[in-house]
Each structure stands twice: as C-alpha cells, then as structure tokens.
Amino acid sequence: METLSSLADGFIIALTWQNILLALLGCFLGTIIGALPGLGPSNGVAILIPLAFSLGLGPTPALILLTSVYYGAMYGGRISSILLNIPGDEPAMMTCLDGYPMAKAGRAGEALALSGIASFVGSFIATWGLILLAPQLVKIALLFGPAEYFALFTLAFATLGGVSSTNQSKTAIATALGLGLAMVGVDTQTGVPRFTFGEVHLYDGIDFLVAIVGLFALSEVFVFLEHKHGSSDAEGQKMEIGRMMPTWAVLKSCIPTMFRTSFLGFLAGVLPGAGASLGSFISYSMEKKLVDREGTFGKGDPRGVAAPEAGNNAAAGGALVPMLALGVPGSGTTAVLLAVLLALNITPGPLLFAQKPDVVWGLIAALFIANFMLLALNIPMVGIFTRLLLVPPRILMPIVAMVSFVGIYGISGSTFDLYVMVGFGVMGWVLRKLDVPLVPVILGTLLGNAMESNMRRAITIDNGNWWTLIDSPLSASLWALAFIGFVLPMVFGKVMKARIKRMAKDEEGAISD
C-alpha cells in the first residue's frame, strides 16, 4: 500500500501541464532520434541535455524530458530496421531479421504497428518491475559503508563492457582514462591542484555535461565529416506501408510472445552492463527455440518482430533499476542519465528513495504517461516518422552541432567550455576509430571523485588498513561479482557475438533467396 500511495503522489507531480508537455516533447524527439540510423538513445539524451539545462528545468521536469527521450528512442529504433533493414541502434538489430521481410512482403504497416504494441507491453511491464524491485533494493541501504560503496563502484566499472563485449582490455583502458579525467581539479582533502597545468578554469574539475556532449554528440558529427554520408537510403520512400494494423489473429498469436520476452528482457536489463542489446538477442533466440516449429522466423514471422521489441524495451526500463536504487548504470544511456542526476545535485543510490521521493516517484509516474503517449504517437504517425528517414545527414548533423554549442554556452557562458567540448569531440572520434567504448570514459569522470573519497574514508576509519576494503561480507560479495562481471565477457563474449553475426547472416541469406 505504501508503494501505491507513493505512486499516486508521483502522478500528482507528473500530471502538471509542464511535465505532460515535456513528456510529449521528449517522446516525439526521442522517436525521431531513434528512427535516424546511427544516433541511438545515448546520443539522443546527450544532445538534449543542454536544452534541459538551458530551459532552467528543475530535477523532476528535466528527468521527465530526458527519460521520455530515452523511451522514445527505444521505440523509434524499429522504424529504420523494418523499412530500410538498417538498425536505428544496436538493440534494434534483431528486429531487422523479421521486420524487413514483412516490409518487403507489403506488410510494413503491420510490422510497425505490431512492434509499437510490443514496445508498449515491454516498457509497461518494465515500469511495474521498477516500482516493485527498486524499493526492495533500497532496504539494503543501512548495510553500505565507505568500503561497500567503493566495491559497488568497482562493480559498475567491471561490468561496463557488458556480456556482449569481446575486448575487456579496451573497456579497462577507457575506464582508466575516465578516472584520470576525474582527478583533474583541486583535491578536496588536501586543497592541492592536480593536473590543472596552471589553468584556473580547471580548478573545479571537468564539467561532465561538457564531456558527455562532446564525446557523444560532436564525435558523431566528426564521424559524419570523415565518411561524408551525403544522403539517406531512398528505399524507405519506395516501401509499401500497407494496412496500418495487424489482424486480431496475428495480434493474438503474438501476445504470449510479448509477455514472455518482456519478463526476460527486464531481467537482462537489471543486470549491470547487460543492457537492451542482450535483452533483444536473448528474447529473439529463446522465442525462436520455443515457438518456431515451422521455421518461419527470419522470413517475416510477426512473432520475430514482437519478441526483440518487447525484450529491448523491457531491458531499457530494467536498466533504470540499478541506476536509481544502487547508483550503478545498467546501460550506456542510463550512464548519461546518471550524469544528469549528479549535475542536478541528486545522488542515485540506496538513499535516493528516502531523500528525494518526489523526484523518483514523479519520474516513475511520468514513465507510465510517456509509454501511453508513445503508443498513441507511434501508430497513427508512422507515416510522418518514415518520411523523416529521408532527411539527409548533411542537414541533420549541422543541427546537432548547433544544439551542442548553443546549449553548452547557454549553461556555462564560458568559451573555455566550448573548447573543452570540441576537445572531447575529437577524443570521442579517435576512440571510436580505435573501437574503444565511450561509456566507461564518462562513468569514470562521473564516479571517480566519489570512488576516491569512499576509498580514502574507509582506509582512514580503519587507521590505514587497506584490507578494510574487502573486510565485510557485502563488500567481499561485490568484489566477487565485479570479478565475475569482468571475466564473464572474455569467456562468453566472443561466442555470443559470433552467434549474433551468424544468425543475422543466415537470415539475410534466407531473405535474398
């Protein structure tokens, strides 16, 4: 009853005109960003962070806007997957396998509507999972001391590569780079400047909002300039949309699939570092083994569209659980949202539900509202979103650059921050060319100072004894999970990547035949 009462209070906060309009704006922009190949939810949220701060939004409205963009981008990724056979982001890759064959058979409208309904079911179940699971994790708050928090941060970094990673060494290098950037500024305990090189602007450290916009948004512009992608695929213009809603028989056959894969995707999202990509892949693979008795998956089976869409949207909601309850991001996009929370002077973790209940429950209520908005937007407005796929990148990328520069200058009013943002943009471009992940850099910059403070505090309390970091059963358990999370991708990562590529290749061969 207490949970339902808190949720009711959250709806009172979310159902103001400002928050409803922000949720609608976020859903619309998020769907557009998700539909455009290459941007994805991480970049979408990063691009719109300056807008949220330039508008002077409070913590709850800012989070409602950005999480609506997150949910919207997860919905939108399916549009280019189905119409162009180009995933809007990595989790939408599995949707191509059956969505594109449906579109080629003149059933694009059915595939888009069905994927929208599956996305709604996955997100709806994940939001209820967030309500039920996150408060339970809060109950362990009293068990956490400085040593346990240090171990928790280590777990976050160790699992950053995700289960789908094949190169943990690059993840470790990116994490070390992020932690190094966190050391820039005045040491909070000794007052000694570190790595500032006499530059006064660096005494306060590096603004992680500047780093995020540079690494994600500007690096995308530099990648475009390098490859000069001048036009979008015109095939989406030629594709027949067909009828806009699936028949009741098709929908009825997909309902069990949606519920099974939603629960599976949610569990995958709750695992730190797993994210929506794993949720999508596991959902499709398990459903194919379970129901594909006629060998129709990969040839335009509606269940092959519903499974990955329900799975990846449920995983997106599940990734919010460890981010809000433990301060450990479950995906790249939740790492960016974590930065927003910290910028708003809100510390995610076990005490968040007790200290800022209005923010948490207002956000959760807004997720319900955004989910219904997305369902209402995505079915009748599919025609509009598909036309947006025809916007050439040469027009889109200057807009991204303009929003980045104007937004950051609007927040800080400092030209120095613009230079830093460009520097991070170049860094992001170089790291992407070297196939080094960007999220560990951001998370290292975000959590580095808190990690260092907790380590120092724990050692000081125990009179310089370093063994205190693994002394308690909880910290020892977290260290064990961190070790498993770091080693597991090296054991299973290559196998899983190979299976995804082989499955995609087999289905493409079936399509061409």
Side-chain angles (χ1 to χ4, degrees):
M1 287 300 295
E2 185 181 345
T3 299
L4 293 177
S5 174
S6 300
L7 182 60
D9 293 338
F11 273 106
I12 293 172
I13 295 169
L15 288 172
T16 62
W17 280 111
Q18 182 195 34
N19 290 338
I20 291 172
L21 291 173
L22 287 172
L24 183 61
L25 176 64
C27 291
F28 183 76
L29 294 176
T31 305
I32 294 172
I33 288 165
L36 295 170
L39 286 181
S42 299
N43 287 331
V45 174
I47 291 167
L48 291 176
I49 285 174
L51 175 64
F53 281 87
S54 299
L55 293 173
L57 299 177
T60 304
L63 284 173
I64 287 172
L65 173 65
L66 296 175
T67 49
S68 298
V69 171
Y70 177 28
Y71 266 32
M74 296 305 300
Y75 268 73
R78 79 201 201 284
I79 296 175
S80 56
S81 298
I82 291 169
L83 294 178
L84 306 179
N85 203 26
I86 302 172
D89 53 9
E90 190 178 343
M93 184 172 65
M94 305 306 292
T95 309
C96 294
L97 303 183
D98 282 274
Y100 189 61
M102 282 186 71
K104 291 197 76 172
R107 301 172 65 192
E110 283 187 69
L112 289 165
L114 186 61
S115 61
I117 294 168
S119 298
F120 170 80
V121 172
S123 298
F124 188 78
I125 289 175
T127 308
W128 273 111
L130 173 63
I131 290 170
L132 298 173
L133 186 58
Q136 303 308 314
L137 294 177
V138 172
K139 293 179 180 177
I140 64 174
L142 296 176
L143 301 176
F144 275 76
E148 287 74 22
Y149 273 111
F150 180 74
L152 185 64
F153 291 139
T154 305
L155 173 63
F157 290 122
T159 56
L160 272 178
V163 179
S164 60
S165 174
T166 57
N167 196 327
Q168 288 294 80
S169 60
K170 289 184 177 179
T171 302
I173 290 169
T175 301
L177 177 60
L179 290 172
L181 291 170
M183 298 299 103
V184 175
V186 176
D187 187 335
T188 54
Q189 293 197 9
T190 64
V192 176
R194 302 184 296 191
F195 308 112
T196 57
F197 306 103
E199 177 58 60
V200 177
H201 291 94
L202 293 176
Y203 275 32
D204 289 332
I206 294 173
D207 188 333
F208 37 75
L209 295 180
V210 174
I212 285 172
V213 175
L215 281 175
F216 285 98
L218 272 194
S219 67
E220 194 70 43
V221 176
F222 290 137
V223 169
F224 163 73
L225 291 174
E226 179 188 13
H227 295 291
K228 295 181 180 177
H229 294 310
S231 63
S232 60
D233 195 327
E235 193 168 356
Q237 193 174 18
K238 301 174 187 176
M239 189 68 69
E240 290 284 340
I241 298 296
R243 61 178 294 160
M244 292 306 300
M245 284 296 292
T247 62
W248 170 244
V250 170
L251 189 59
K252 186 178 177 182
S253 68
C254 293
I255 288 174
T257 292
M258 293 178 194
F259 279 94
R260 280 193 297 265
T261 52
S262 294
F263 286 108
L264 196 60
F266 176 74
L267 293 176
V270 171
L271 296 173
S277 300
L278 181 66
S280 175
F281 173 70
I282 288 180
S283 297
Y284 186 89
S285 301
M286 293 294 290
E287 200 63 19
K288 183 176 181 180
K289 289 182 180 179
L290 193 63
V291 302
D292 187 22
R293 297 180 182 88
E294 296 85 18
T296 53
F297 269 50
K299 300 176 183 177
D301 192 317
R303 295 170 297 182
V305 175
E309 282 302 308
N312 70 38
N313 281 272
L320 292 171
V321 174
M323 191 271 282
L324 291 173
L326 298 176
V328 177
S331 66
T333 312
T334 51
V336 178
L337 290 172
L338 178 65
V340 177
L341 284 169
L342 294 173
L344 294 167
N345 294 319
I346 297 172
T347 305
L351 296 178
L352 177 62
F353 280 73
Q355 294 175 344
K356 298 284 185 179
D358 55 327
V359 173
V360 176
W361 291 107
L363 172 61
I364 292 173
L367 292 178
F368 277 113
I369 296 168
N371 207 23
F372 281 96
M373 284 180 175
L374 284 164
L375 183 65
L377 283 174
N378 272 266
I379 293 179
M381 297 182 68
V382 161
I384 296 173
F385 292 131
T386 52
R387 282 182 172 79
L388 290 167
L389 294 174
L390 304 174
V391 176
R394 68 176 183 273
I395 295 174
L396 178 67
M397 289 304 164
I399 295 173
V400 170
M402 180 192 71
V403 170
S404 301
F405 277 92
V406 172
I408 290 299
Y409 189 77
I411 295 170
S412 65
S414 168
T415 53
F416 181 81
D417 283 347
L418 298 182
Y419 292 129
V420 173
M421 182 181 69
V422 173
F424 273 102
V426 174
M427 180 196 296
W429 172 67
V430 171
L431 292 176
R432 289 171 69 166
K433 287 180 69 68
L434 297 174
D435 201 25
V436 175
L438 301 180
V439 172
V441 180
I442 288 297
L443 205 62
T445 309
L446 284 176
L447 301 181
N449 286 323
M451 190 176 184
E452 180 191 14
S453 297
N454 279 287
M455 182 188 72
R456 284 179 163 181
R457 195 177 300 123
I459 294 170
T460 302
I461 290 171
D462 209 17
N463 297 319
N465 179 19
W466 284 76
W467 289 105
T468 189
L469 297 177
I470 57 172
D471 214 16
S472 71
L474 180 56
S475 62
S477 300
L478 291 171
W479 279 101
L481 288 173
F483 178 77
I484 293 169
F486 189 78
V487 172
L488 195 64
M490 291 188 277
V491 178
F492 294 106
K494 290 183 179 179
V495 176
M496 188 174 138
K497 280 280 189 183
R499 283 189 63 189
I500 293 175
K501 289 180 180 177
R502 186 169 62 250
M503 187 182 294
K505 190 178 293 183
D506 290 345
E507 308 298 4
E508 283 173 10
I511 292 168
S512 61
D513 291 342

